[in-house]
Amino acid sequence: MATDIVAQLADSLAKTGVEDGELSYKGQGRKLDDAQSVEEIVKDIQDFKGLQALRLEGNTVGVAAAQAIAKALETKSEFKRCYWSDMFTGRLRSEIPPSLNSLGDALMLAGARLTVLDLSDNAFGPDGVKGIERLLKSTACYTLQELRLNNCGMGIGGGKILAAALTHCHEKSSGDGSPLSLKVFVAGRNRLENDGATALAQAFKLMGSLEEVNMPQNGINHPGVTALAMAMENNPNLRILNLNDNTFTEKGAIAMAQGLKHLRSLQVINFGDCLVRPAGAIAMAKTVSEGLPILKELNLSFGEITEEAALAVAQAVKDKDQLEKLDLNGNCLGEDGCKALKDTLEGLNKADLLGSLSDDEGEPEDDDDEDEDEEEEDDDEEVDEEEVEEEEEEEEEEESSSNKLSTPVSAPRPPDVSSFLSFPSPDKLLKLGTKRAFLIEQQVDVTDAAKTAEAFLKIASVYKEENSDVKNAVLESIDALLKKAFSTPSFQGYNFVSSLLVLLGLLKSEDKVKPVLVVPGHLQALEHVVRQDYFPKESVAVLEAFMSRNNKSLDSCCNARNNLQSTLQRVRSES
């Protein structure tokens, strides 16, 4: 039986290799301290004719090693893509700028024309931005299309340096007749706040070429949101806008609604956990109703939206034929409001687009708190320039050499299960408290194998072997979820494994399901699961067959994959 299943699934496995012109050391966990430690990499670079991309994610690179790699890149004129996220784990903060400067200078000397620069998850702070400042201003970045700086701890100071560099690059490239046309900008979890966001907004407005902007969890309030709204208005090709977990309030939401009014390419709007409030939601509803013809996803969850405003949003999407998802969970509708919303969407034949409303906070008692929040926010904006400068200096001093970011200044509200499953993070999982496993178990529909597989991967994505609290919370939550699933008579274990393989990118799906970005935590959590009594032993052989195949989606998790394979072999031999 297991052999038949393996054969059936194996026929659908897509065998893929690295992209043309790409040299990859992704996820190999190498400790590259000096020139000797990178001799193999240097030789591979030197021997690679037509090198276009170098993947160094998931290794740790010291100054001397970076200089040796840089020397090898000096002759690579066809070079285009830098995949250098998570590259300085465990390094002193003082090591990062000289390493980045060496690599950047080499690309400039080579005459490279970059299209992708990814330095996410490096936590290098404002000094790290200074390390790429020269590169960003150079001709090497005139052709840049994707800039990914997620989770880098740039702060206000780093945001300003970055904005100035992009502005300089655009001005110089325009003078040469080929203006910088950045398409993708990613900078979540960077503590940019209002000043950093406003500076970047000016650069965005100048470029006018953005198609995707992701800036969640940056402590941005309505002045920064308003600046970004004005910038988005000048980017007509914008498709994706994610500002999740910033604090719009009504002022910011109304300004943003106005800024998005005439964008005809916008497909995804994520303003979840942004406190848009009723007036902001109604303004957004008007924008959706009058424009945004190809909108696919609208997230206005956890925004203190009331029944009237939610119903306005529902009416606004009635003619949106391409809409796939509407998220209004965690608002203030009350039981009657939730029913009215569902009935309205049912009448519009769009009930299936509405996400869960299980975390609705009930009807609001009064508006006093809202008024107080607005007053407090206005007071916060009156901080003088000297205080801002002092905060920036303190921010630079407090950056951790171990690449762990500080908590954003504008702390979000305590998360709930829906918020965690939508945007998982270790902190959100821990803040669910000791009842987290029960809460997650109650939230997920375990009769649906696909949804259960998706929930498993979201929980597993925050797994951290080195953090016992997070590790135990993840495993406890996963065990509770899967025990309930596999003990449910209607649950189909085979479909769960199939869905898991599809989401991991190991199996093609006729439904065109988009695979997740696989991280080591996915495989480390799965290694735990296959050892548990609740996991069916006939599925072990299936997983083993797929894990033994070469597949690009697992390149970043070599060690975790090897450990999982060993465990699968051992479990199968013992059964």
Side-chain angles (χ1 to χ4, degrees), residues 146-197:
E146 298 183 20
L147 180 58
R148 299 178 181 272
L149 297 168
N150 200 58
N151 193 25
C152 286
M154 290 189 288
I156 296 172
K160 289 181 176 180
I161 295 168
L162 178 61
L166 291 173
T167 300
H168 178 94
C169 184
H170 184 270
E171 290 174 350
K172 290 294 183 181
S173 59
S174 297
D176 284 359
S178 56
L180 170 65
S181 298
L182 192 68
K183 293 181 179 179
V184 177
F185 181 82
V186 180
R189 297 186 64 197
N190 270 291
R191 295 182 295 147
L192 295 169
E193 300 183 40
N194 289 332
D195 288 351

Side-chain angles (χ1 to χ4, degrees), residues 57 82-85 116-120 122 146-149:
E57 310 104 303
C82 305
Y83 299 109
W84 296 344
S85 63
V116 178
L117 179 58
D118 185 355
L119 288 165
S120 297
N122 279 311
E146 298 183 20
L147 180 58
R148 299 178 181 272
L149 297 168

Side-chain angles (χ1 to χ4, degrees), residues 70-302:
K71 186 68 177 175
L73 288 172
E74 288 180 356
T75 60
K76 302 300 175 180
S77 60
E78 297 178 46
F79 197 83
K80 296 180 180 179
R81 302 186 301 278
C82 305
Y83 299 109
W84 296 344
S85 63
D86 191 19
M87 194 171 78
F88 298 112
T89 300
R91 298 291 168 183
L92 294 174
R93 184 175 165 189
S94 59
E95 292 182 80
I96 300 177
S99 296
L100 291 173
N101 273 319
S102 296
L103 292 165
D105 289 349
L107 297 177
M108 289 186 278
L109 184 60
R113 292 292 183 269
L114 298 183
T115 57
V116 178
L117 179 58
D118 185 355
L119 288 165
S120 297
D121 301 316
N122 279 311
F124 45 47
D127 287 348
V129 185
K130 292 177 184 176
I132 59 172
E133 183 179 10
R134 195 157 60 227
L135 174 64
L136 288 172
K137 290 180 176 180
S138 74
T139 56
C141 286
Y142 283 9
T143 50
L144 194 63
Q145 295 182 12
E146 298 183 20
L147 180 58
R148 299 178 181 272
L149 297 168
N150 200 58
N151 193 25
C152 286
M154 290 189 288
I156 296 172
K160 289 181 176 180
I161 295 168
L162 178 61
L166 291 173
T167 300
H168 178 94
C169 184
H170 184 270
E171 290 174 350
K172 290 294 183 181
S173 59
S174 297
D176 284 359
S178 56
L180 170 65
S181 298
L182 192 68
K183 293 181 179 179
V184 177
F185 181 82
V186 180
R189 297 186 64 197
N190 270 291
R191 295 182 295 147
L192 295 169
E193 300 183 40
N194 289 332
D195 288 351
T198 300
L200 285 165
Q202 295 303 313
F204 296 164
K205 188 173 183 180
L206 187 65
M207 290 185 290
S209 55
L210 289 167
E211 296 179 9
E212 179 177 342
V213 175
N214 285 279
M215 296 174 66
Q217 294 184 343
N218 269 297
I220 306 170
N221 298 326
H222 76 77
V225 172
T226 300
L228 287 170
M230 294 172 66
M232 296 307 108
E233 190 173 5
N234 204 46
N235 284 266
N237 296 320
L238 189 68
R239 295 182 300 105
I240 298 172
L241 180 59
N242 176 7
L243 294 175
N244 185 277
D245 206 356
N246 290 290
T247 308
F248 284 34
T249 66
E250 295 179 345
K251 292 180 182 178
I254 291 170
M256 185 59 72
Q258 182 64 32
L260 303 183
K261 209 165 192 177
H262 303 294
L263 300 184
R264 300 191 61 79
S265 299
L266 196 57
Q267 298 177 28
V268 177
I269 296 175
N270 186 343
F271 296 159
D273 225 356
C274 285
L275 211 64
V276 297
R277 292 184 173 146
I282 290 171
M284 283 299 305
K286 189 171 187 295
T287 290
V288 171
S289 176
E290 296 177 355
L292 313 185
I294 59 173
L295 187 65
K296 292 183 177 180
E297 294 184 20
L298 176 60
N299 184 346
L300 296 176
S301 60
F302 301 94

